[in-house]
Amino acid sequence: MHFFELNHCDRVALSAEIHSRPFLSLTAPELISHLAVYPRDKSETGIAIQQQQHALLLALCSHFAVTAPAPEAKYFYFDFGPFRLKWESHTEFATYTFAQHQELPLSLEQALVQMPITRLPEGWLHRLQGSVLVAAHLILDNRPISASAFSQEIQSLFRGHTLAASCVMQGGEFWSDFVVHADGFSRFVIRDVDMRAQQAGRLAQRILEIETYRMMALLGLPLAQATTPQLNLIESQLVELTTAMVAADHAMSEQGIDKETDAERHLLEKITHLAARIEKLSLENNYRFSASKAYFKLVLARIEELREQRIEGLPMVAEFMDRRLTPAMNTCDAVANRQEALARRIANSNDLLRTRVGIVQEMQNRKILQSLNARAAQQLHLQQAVEGLSVAAISYYVIGLFGYASKAAKEFGWIAQVDIAVGIAVPLVLGAVWLGLRRMHHVLQAKQQDKAHF
C-alpha cells in the first residue's frame, strides 16, 4: 500500500492552509494600490458573495488574457506584466493588491500619478461602482534624501492633516493620516531605512490589513447609530408598560378580577409586541456587531505586530487608533450590550406579567370551582331529599302490592287479619327499600372511582 493512501482526506488541504496567503515579495522602491471590495447587496449569502467576487477577478484576468483561478479558490497571485496582483477572498469581502517595482520620481506626490491602479481597464473599474470599501495607495520609498526634505514631501503629500507615524519593525518608518483624499484613496508611505529581506512585504501587508480591518470594523458604527433611537423608543414603551403593570395592582380591588385580567392580557399583547421588535433588531444587528468586534481585535493584533517606536512629536498608530477607532468600537459594544440587556428586561417583564395573568386565572378558576362545589352540595341535598321521597314512594307501591296479596291469602284462609300483616310489612319494606338504594349508590360510586384510576 502506498503511504499517501493512509492520509486523512483533509490532510493536504489543511497543511496548505498555513501557506495560502503569503506576503508579497517587495523590494523598495515599490508602488502599491490596494482595493477591498464589499458586496453592494448585504443580503447575499456567502456563496453568492464568493461567486460575485470570482466573476470580477475572472473579468480582470480575461482582459489581460490570463488564466483565472478555480471558482473555489480563496487566493490568487500572478504577474500581469504591468503589475503584480495578489487577490484574496474573505468571508465578506475580497482584496486586490496591485504592486509594481518602479524608480520613484522627484517627489512622493508625483508618484501618485504612476500608481498601478492607472494601468487597470476603465470598464473593470466601473464594475466596482458602489462596492469599494477600501482604496489605498502605498509608496515604499528608499531614496537617500535628507530628513528635512522627506518631511516636506510628507507634509505636501498629506496636505497638513494630522499624521500618525512611527518607526516600525526595527528597520522602517510608516507615515499616514488615514484620510480619504480627493482622489478617493487613502495614502500610506513606508520608508525603507534598514529593512531586511521579505520585511517590506510583511510590513506592507500589515499596514493594508490595518486599513482594511479598520473599515470593516467601522461598518457596525452606522448601524449602532441607527439602532440607538429605536432602542430609546422601545425602552420608553417598556417603562410605560411596567408603570401600567404597577397601576393594575391598585385597580384589581376596585374593578374586580375579570376586568383586571382583560387589562393585563392587553398589556401582555403589547409587551409581546415589544419582545418581537427587540428580537428583530437582534437578528439584524448581532452579526454586524460581532463581526466589528472581531475585526477590531485583528486591527489591534496587526498594530502590535508593527513593534512601533515613537517618532518625536507624532502619535504612533496605536495611539491614533486608540483615540479615533476605539470610541467607535465602544459605541458598538455599548449598543450591543444595551440591546441584550433590554431584551432580558422585556423577557423578565413578559414572564412576570404571564405569571400574574396565570395567578388571576387560577383565582377565577378557584371561584368557579367553589361555585361548582356549592352547586354540587345543593344537588346532593336535593338528591337526598328526593331519595327520601323515593323510598316512601317505592315502599308505598310495594306495600300496596303486598296488601293485594294479603287479601288473596285471606280468601284462601292462609291468614286471618290483613291489616295486621300489612302493618308488620310496612317497616320491613321501608328498611329493605332504603338498604337497597344505599347499596346501589355504593356500587355506582365504586365503579366511578375505578374509572377515575384508569
Side-chain angles (χ1 to χ4, degrees):
M1 178 181 291
H2 198 282
F3 179 77
F4 290 103
E5 295 180 1
L6 303 177
N7 286 341
H8 187 278
C9 59
D10 294 327
R11 180 191 175 194
V12 175
L14 294 176
S15 178
E17 181 65 26
I18 197 172
H19 306 288
S20 63
R21 302 179 190 274
F23 303 110
L24 276 173
S25 178
L26 301 177
T27 302
E30 293 267 7
L31 299 180
I32 299 171
S33 295
H34 176 78
L35 302 176
V37 180
Y38 185 76
R40 283 167 289 185
D41 188 358
K42 300 178 182 178
S43 63
E44 289 183 347
T45 62
I47 296 177
I49 292 173
Q50 186 176 357
Q51 292 174 345
Q52 181 186 33
Q53 299 289 6
H54 189 270
L56 288 172
L57 178 61
L58 179 61
L60 183 62
C61 292
S62 298
H63 179 83
F64 288 94
V66 171
T67 302
E72 64 274 9
K74 298 295 183 66
Y75 172 84
F76 176 70
Y77 173 82
F78 194 83
D79 189 344
F80 283 68
F83 56 84
R84 308 187 307 279
L85 169 63
K86 176 186 175 184
W87 173 85
E88 292 183 354
S89 177
H90 299 263
T91 303
E92 295 186 279
F93 63 96
T95 57
Y96 295 79
T97 304
F98 306 93
Q100 67 181 35
H101 182 78
Q102 181 174 340
E103 294 296 331
L104 295 186
L106 296 178
S107 68
L108 296 176
E109 191 169 2
Q110 292 174 351
L112 293 177
V113 299
Q114 302 180 12
M115 302 303 291
I117 198 75
T118 60
R119 301 177 181 273
L120 297 179
E122 289 291 333
W124 186 82
L125 290 174
H126 182 73
R127 292 185 62 176
L128 302 181
Q129 185 175 3
S131 300
V132 176
L133 183 65
V134 177
H137 288 323
L138 188 150
I139 302 173
L140 179 59
D141 183 20
N142 66 343
R143 293 172 301 159
I145 60 176
S146 64
S148 60
F150 184 77
S151 178
Q152 290 178 358
E153 289 190 14
I154 287 291
Q155 294 300 325
S156 176
L157 182 68
F158 294 106
R159 307 188 188 283
H161 292 112
T162 302
L163 287 174
S166 60
C167 297
V168 293
M169 297 179 70
Q170 299 178 351
E173 292 178 359
F174 169 69
W175 307 76
S176 180
D177 57 0
F178 294 97
V179 171
V180 178
H181 290 259
D183 60 355
F185 286 81
S186 304
R187 298 173 181 177
F188 306 101
V189 175
I190 297 176
R191 190 179 186 190
D192 186 352
V193 179
D194 187 23
M195 289 193 289
R196 293 178 293 276
Q198 302 297 323
Q199 199 170 16
R202 293 198 301 271
L203 177 56
Q205 179 160 324
R206 294 289 178 263
I207 297 301
L208 296 175
E209 285 179 345
I210 288 173
E211 176 67 3
T212 302
Y213 293 142
R214 176 179 74 92
M215 294 298 293
M216 291 299 298
L218 285 171
L219 282 176
L221 182 60
L223 190 60
Q225 293 170 339
T227 301
T228 299
Q230 300 181 58
L231 294 180
N232 292 338
L233 179 60
I234 293 175
E235 195 168 32
S236 63
Q237 292 177 346
L238 179 60
V239 171
E240 293 176 0
L241 288 175
T242 52
T243 303
M245 288 171 59
V246 174
D249 290 337
H250 303 288
M252 182 180 291
S253 57
E254 299 177 0
Q255 296 180 354
I257 294 177
D258 294 337
K259 293 184 178 180
E260 177 62 17
T261 302
D262 294 337
E264 291 195 339
R265 284 176 179 169
H266 183 62
L267 291 177
L268 187 59
E269 291 179 0
K270 288 185 176 181
I271 204 167
T272 302
H273 178 65
L274 281 186
R277 288 173 59 187
I278 197 68
E279 184 66 21
K280 180 176 180 292
L281 278 179
S282 297
L283 291 174
E284 293 174 349
N285 301 341
N286 279 350
Y287 175 78
R288 188 73 267 152
F289 289 153
S290 299
S292 293
K293 189 174 182 179
Y295 286 126
F296 182 51
K297 289 182 178 179
L298 289 174
V299 171
L300 297 180
R302 297 299 183 265
I303 292 175
E304 185 178 355
E305 292 171 3
L306 295 179
R307 302 193 298 276
E308 291 185 283
Q309 295 179 357
R310 184 177 301 281
I311 294 178
E312 194 62 34
L314 295 173
M316 297 187 298
V317 177
E319 296 171 341
F320 193 90
M321 292 298 175
D322 185 61
R323 194 161 53 246
R324 289 167 171 80
L325 179 60
T326 302
M329 295 298 98
N330 289 340
T331 299
C332 294
D333 287 341
V335 172
N337 293 335
R338 183 185 177 193
Q339 184 174 272
E340 293 178 1
L342 189 56
R344 289 194 297 268
R345 288 168 54 193
I346 291 175
N348 292 337
S349 299
N350 193 3
D351 293 341
L352 177 61
L353 193 53
R354 287 181 182 277
T355 302
R356 290 180 53 183
V357 170
I359 292 174
V360 172
Q361 289 178 343
E362 288 180 0
M363 294 173 61
Q364 289 179 327
N365 293 337
R366 187 174 63 180
K367 285 195 171 184
I368 292 173
L369 291 175
Q370 290 176 348
S371 175
L372 291 176
N373 289 337
R375 291 180 181 178
Q378 292 176 355
Q379 290 178 353
L380 179 61
H381 291 310
L382 180 61
Q383 182 180 357
Q384 291 175 347
V386 170
E387 286 180 359
L389 293 175
S390 299
V391 169
I394 294 172
S395 300
Y396 175 78
Y397 287 114
V398 171
I399 292 171
L401 294 174
F402 182 76
Y404 287 118
S406 299
K407 290 179 181 179
K410 182 179 179 181
E411 293 295 330
F412 285 104
W414 293 344
I415 59 174
Q417 296 293 330
V418 175
D419 294 336
I420 294 174
V422 171
I424 293 172
V426 168
L428 297 176
V429 171
L430 287 172
V433 171
W434 183 81
L435 290 174
L437 290 176
R438 293 294 297 174
R439 177 63 179 173
M440 183 178 65
H441 283 304
H442 286 308
V443 171
L444 292 176
Q445 288 179 356
K447 288 183 178 180
Q448 289 178 353
Q449 289 178 356
D450 291 340
K451 291 181 180 180
H453 287 304
F454 287 109

